[in-house]
Amino acid sequence: MKTLNVLSLLILVMTSLASNLVLAAHEDSLQIFPQLKRSKKVISGFADFLVSAQSEVVLSEESYIQNSINNESALLNQLTAADVQASGPECLDFIRTSTNLLVNLAGISYTNCFNDVDTRMFEELSRFPELALTREAYDQFSLLGVFRGENIFIDPIKIRDKLLARLGARVSMPTLNPETEATLRAVLGGLKTNFLACMNSSQTKLADNLQYTSEQVRAICAAEATKHI
């Protein structure tokens, strides 16, 4: 009986350690936002508004990342319950692996939202001949483009470094007449709205998937343990 108790305690410690390591890795995803908030860029005119608008889009992702991590944490905390622990490591490992996979897949979906708004923003800006904007020039300062090919849950440091490099790039934009600038401001506001709708959809899918996985913890892992009582 003493050996069994020691074994159960060991499994509990190992499970908690594994869960904490996963969460610690994903917590790094939040580090890009304080960096962006602290960064200052001395520019003026429409260029200032353009970078500010992009910064607002990037910063709006913070709440989605935090909610995703919170949902993941709540699920992994279920694995420390005594009846779940009693099921043994096989079911627990499957849940941890499945949870990590779901979060990483959500990271791909979040990146797709950035890719879409980045492409649409360039398309809208390029409609105005006054800007004479090429894709190459746009990519030099596009904060939205730093997410291309990256996953915020896997590559947060790479994203942060690319973001800081873009913030350090010199932005030169012509002075626009008030009518053109007002039009562009409205267009960029609409793009942010579309981005938030995309993020809402992606986060809802992740939350639903994590909820289903949470139900499996009780229905399978905990139920498996009762068979041996």
Side-chain angles (χ1 to χ4, degrees):
M1 180 63 68
K2 182 180 295 186
T3 301
L4 181 59
N5 290 338
V6 171
L7 181 59
S8 298
L9 178 60
L10 180 60
I11 292 175
L12 175 61
V13 171
M14 292 178 65
T15 300
S16 298
L17 179 60
S19 298
N20 288 337
L21 287 175
V22 171
L23 288 175
H26 289 163
E27 286 284 356
D28 288 344
S29 303
L30 293 168
Q31 297 308 307
I32 72 169
F33 302 107
Q35 288 281 348
L36 180 57
K37 293 173 184 176
R38 289 194 297 265
S39 297
K40 302 295 182 182
K41 196 170 181 64
V42 183
I43 50 182
S44 60
F46 181 71
D48 181 37
F49 169 74
L50 185 58
V51 173
S52 296
Q54 291 189 332
S55 295
E56 287 181 11
V57 172
V58 175
L59 290 173
S60 69
E61 189 194 26
E62 183 175 19
S63 62
Y64 295 97
I65 300 303
Q66 185 64 71
N67 287 338
S68 299
I69 292 174
N70 290 345
N71 290 339
E72 178 193 25
S73 177
L75 193 160
L76 293 177
N77 283 338
Q78 291 186 9
L79 302 184
T80 62
D83 55 347
V84 176
Q85 289 286 316
S87 67
E90 183 176 359
C91 196
L92 301 180
D93 288 343
F94 176 79
I95 294 296
R96 282 196 299 269
T97 300
S98 178
T99 301
N100 189 49
L101 177 61
L102 289 173
V103 174
N104 289 341
L105 284 174
I108 295 176
S109 186
Y110 294 162
T111 295
N112 288 339
C113 292
F114 274 108
N115 292 345
D116 182 64
V117 71
D118 185 48
T119 297
R120 290 174 179 269
M121 181 170 289
F122 172 71
E123 289 175 349
E124 293 296 340
L125 292 174
S126 64
R127 296 180 190 276
F128 295 85
E130 303 98 307
L131 297 177
L133 188 64
T134 64
R135 183 74 207 200
E136 182 180 6
Y138 172 78
D139 286 341
Q140 290 179 359
F141 67 83
S142 172
L143 305 184
L144 307 176
V146 304
F147 293 88
R148 288 188 179 275
E150 310 294 355
N151 187 321
I152 193 169
F153 292 118
I154 299 175
D155 309 309
I157 303 304
K158 291 176 64 177
I159 293 174
R160 183 201 63 189
D161 292 345
K162 289 166 66 176
L163 184 64
L164 293 178
R166 295 283 174 93
L167 284 168
R170 299 189 63 177
V171 180
S172 178
M173 301 287 283
T175 301
L176 303 178
N177 63 62
E179 293 78 11
T180 299
E181 185 167 334
T183 299
L184 279 172
R185 286 176 181 271
V187 167
L188 297 184
L191 291 179
K192 180 181 178 181
T193 298
N194 292 339
F195 172 78
L196 294 178
C198 181
M199 291 294 293
N200 278 326
S201 176
S202 298
Q203 183 177 260
T204 297
K205 291 176 182 177
L206 173 61
D208 289 344
N209 288 332
L210 290 178
Q211 177 59 37
Y212 177 78
T213 303
S214 174
E215 293 170 359
Q216 303 315 298
V217 173
R218 304 305 311 166
I220 299 178
C221 296
E224 180 66 21
T226 63
K227 297 178 181 179
H228 305 289
I229 296 178

